[in-house]
Amino acid sequence: MSECEGQQHAHLDTLMQGYSEALAAHGVDGVLLYSGHPARHFGDDQHASFAAYGHFVHWTGQAQLARSWLLVRPGKSPTLYFHAPADFWHLPARLPEEPWVDRFRVEARETSAPPALPPGRFAVLGDVSDGVAQAMGAEANPPGLVAALNELRVSKSDYEVSCLRRANRRAMAGHRAARRVFEGGGAELDIQLAYLGGARQRESELPYPNIVGLNAHGGVLHYQHYDTVAPEKRRSLLLDAGVRHRGYCADITRTCSGPDSAGEFTPLIEGVTSLQQRLIADLAPGVDFAALHRRMHEGLAALLVEQRLVNASTEAVLESGLTRVFCPHGLGHLLGVQVHDVAGLVDANGQPLQPPVEHPALRLTRELMAGMVVTIEPGLYVIPMLLDPHRHRAEVNWKRVERLADHGGIRIEDNVLVTAAGPDVLTPKET
């Protein structure tokens, strides 16, 4: 048995133990997980891209397996009702040759209808209506059970870490290929296509739509287009791009300057990168992530002063709230079979942990624990929409800031495993 096979067997053992305890605590005999189905565009016969329900993926790694059901009962092998109809229009889905398949009872089915449940009390989780669940004699998505199963995804098994590490390697190969095309003068679409080739993943399989922002587009946090014509001047590239491997997501961002960038831009990239490395070094069990987010803003305040974008003390910049104008997003989030993985805004008992009022975009507010995988992604942007209300502030060096307006912004993002021995960066270094 290979190391990966052994890890997957151990992962399944841990999952079954966790599910058994959660089901017993909630008085449920079993749970039926629905993978989901792609949504059809309104008034059309075409479907949108699909991603399977996270708890289904947690067991199977099959992020694109639609219309299938997984029955989990303590003490019994999980049963996969696998939707594989005979079809000459489409190639039927196939299961991989992986250890989990041999551990499951697999029943291939023509129908996507829910299977009949055995006697007992059951819950159905996923994109299932209350009416469908009631017709099955089950309860749909009971909140307490969902919260307990969400918590099982917070700390990653060795198998999951291996999958995340592999996803990061593939994503970084894509980043390298994309950067070469940027340096050669390619348009955003060219850069995206190079990324897909380097990562060896089709666009519909990506964990999220890649952000490929040249120049000012790098200042649109979720920029969603790919220009087909290269800009006359190449000032900057912000590439936020990931990969799925066996359902697990990489989420990596890099920013680089181009041949036409302002002299101020490269030192800012270096400053954000240095800040990111210091924040990664601080990751440890017991660290309050909201406090680490505030530490990011302290570092950004120092960088704004050091690079003479703001003429004031670091303390004054921080107190004024200007760092939130230059960086309106959170420091990072949990990562797993979803990019923004579940349970980031609750404690271990499922109780809400709201973001600080002054940092509403923060997606992770709990204390770190060993086994968590998080993104660390400080940023610094010149976004006119956010800066314009502050034009009256004399301490801002507006001439220097405006020279960076057509560079968009900077974000540096890695994926990191929290361990008792220190942070384990899953994202490979660039070569």
Side-chain angles (χ1 to χ4, degrees):
M1 182 186 297
S2 70
E3 181 181 12
C4 183
E5 289 175 332
Q7 288 178 342
Q8 192 174 90
H9 280 297
H11 170 69
L12 294 172
D13 291 340
T14 301
L15 256 187
M16 181 56 80
Q17 179 66 28
Y19 266 61
S20 297
E21 293 172 359
L23 293 172
H26 290 84
V28 179
D29 297 311
V31 61
L32 184 66
L33 306 175
Y34 180 44
S35 69
H37 53 272
R40 182 175 291 178
H41 296 299
F42 181 75
D44 200 346
D45 63 354
Q46 299 296 310
H47 292 84
S49 295
F50 170 73
Y53 180 46
H55 289 307
F56 182 91
V57 180
H58 199 198
W59 281 92
T60 67
Q62 300 298 292
Q64 295 195 299
L65 183 57
R67 299 182 175 91
S68 297
W69 304 80
L70 180 65
L71 178 62
V72 180
R73 291 177 289 172
K76 298 182 183 296
S77 297
T79 300
L80 175 64
Y81 299 95
F82 173 51
H83 186 241
D87 186 0
F88 58 82
W89 290 104
H90 304 95
L91 185 67
R94 296 176 181 174
L95 296 180
E97 294 183 2
E98 293 180 20
W100 70 265
V101 178
D102 296 330
R103 296 270 301 259
F104 288 16
R105 187 171 73 84
V106 177
E107 181 180 320
R109 307 163 82 224
E110 291 278 335
T111 178
S112 61
L117 291 171
R121 185 183 176 204
F122 286 84
V124 182
L125 270 57
D127 186 9
V128 178
S129 69
D130 289 338
V132 169
Q134 288 171 7
M136 300 170 65
E139 183 180 359
N141 299 303
L145 179 59
V146 171
L149 299 184
N150 286 349
E151 188 63 23
L152 293 179
R153 286 166 50 186
V154 171
S155 182
K156 302 299 186 289
S157 66
D158 290 342
Y159 169 73
E160 293 178 285
V161 172
S162 293
C163 290
L164 288 161
R165 203 182 298 276
R166 178 68 178 272
N168 268 262
R169 288 200 295 268
R170 290 177 60 188
M172 186 51 69
H175 273 263
R176 295 189 192 104
R179 183 161 183 166
R180 288 193 292 270
V181 171
F182 166 66
E183 291 171 346
E188 290 170 350
L189 180 61
D190 301 317
I191 295 167
Q192 166 71 347
L193 294 174
Y195 177 87
L196 297 174
R200 309 306 296 163
Q201 192 147 87
R202 60 187 292 182
E203 203 162 55
S204 61
E205 295 174 317
L206 297 176
Y208 58 92
N210 289 347
I211 300 167
V212 184
L214 291 177
N215 299 345
H217 291 162
V220 182
L221 298 185
H222 285 172
Y223 175 65
Q224 71 273 42
H225 303 294
Y226 305 123
D227 279 354
T228 58
V229 177
E232 290 185 7
K233 293 188 177 294
R234 289 180 291 135
R235 297 181 173 89
S236 63
L237 166 67
L238 188 152
L239 176 61
D240 186 336
V243 158
R244 281 190 193 273
H245 176 72
R246 293 187 174 181
Y248 289 85
C249 306
D251 182 5
I252 302 171
T253 308
R254 291 292 183 267
T255 306
C256 55
S257 56
D260 303 306
S261 67
E264 297 91 340
F265 194 64
T266 296
L268 283 171
I269 295 176
E270 294 169 351
V272 173
T273 302
S274 176
L275 172 59
Q276 190 235 22
Q277 293 300 301
R278 296 195 302 272
L279 293 168
I280 288 175
D282 288 340
L283 294 177
V287 169
D288 182 346
F289 199 81
L292 195 64
H293 172 84
R294 287 190 285 269
R295 214 172 302 166
M296 174 187 75
H297 280 275
E298 292 170 4
L300 290 174
L303 183 61
L304 290 170
V305 172
E306 174 191 313
Q307 296 298 321
R308 294 180 290 115
L309 295 179
V310 181
N311 300 314
S313 68
T314 298
E315 295 74 18
V317 173
L318 194 62
E319 186 176 348
S320 72
L322 273 172
T323 57
R324 297 194 295 275
V325 177
F326 285 95
C327 183
H329 62 70
L331 172 60
H333 49 81
L334 293 175
L335 185 71
V337 295
Q338 291 172 219
V339 178
H340 301 142
D341 216 357
V342 292
L345 297 173
V346 296
D347 64 18
N349 298 314
Q351 296 303 307
L353 292 172
Q354 297 299 328
V357 173
E358 66 274 22
H359 302 292
L362 187 57
R363 288 190 168 104
L364 178 55
T365 52
R366 59 191 292 173
E367 284 190 358
L368 299 179
M369 56 187 284
M372 283 182 172
V373 174
V374 299
T375 66
I376 299 295
E377 47 184 304
L380 193 152
Y381 313 85
V382 176
I383 304 174
M385 174 183 172
L386 299 182
L387 286 165
D388 285 347
H390 299 272
R391 289 283 174 176
H392 62 283
R393 293 185 181 237
E395 69 269 32
V396 177
N397 187 339
W398 290 108
K399 288 185 179 179
R400 197 168 177 84
V401 169
E402 286 163 0
R403 281 199 294 272
L404 296 166
D406 49 11
H407 294 62
I410 300 161
R411 184 162 64 252
I412 306 296
E413 177 183 20
D414 288 319
N415 306 159
V416 188
L417 171 66
V418 179
T419 81
D424 180 0
V425 180
L426 305 181
T427 307
K429 295 183 182 296
E430 290 94 333
T431 57

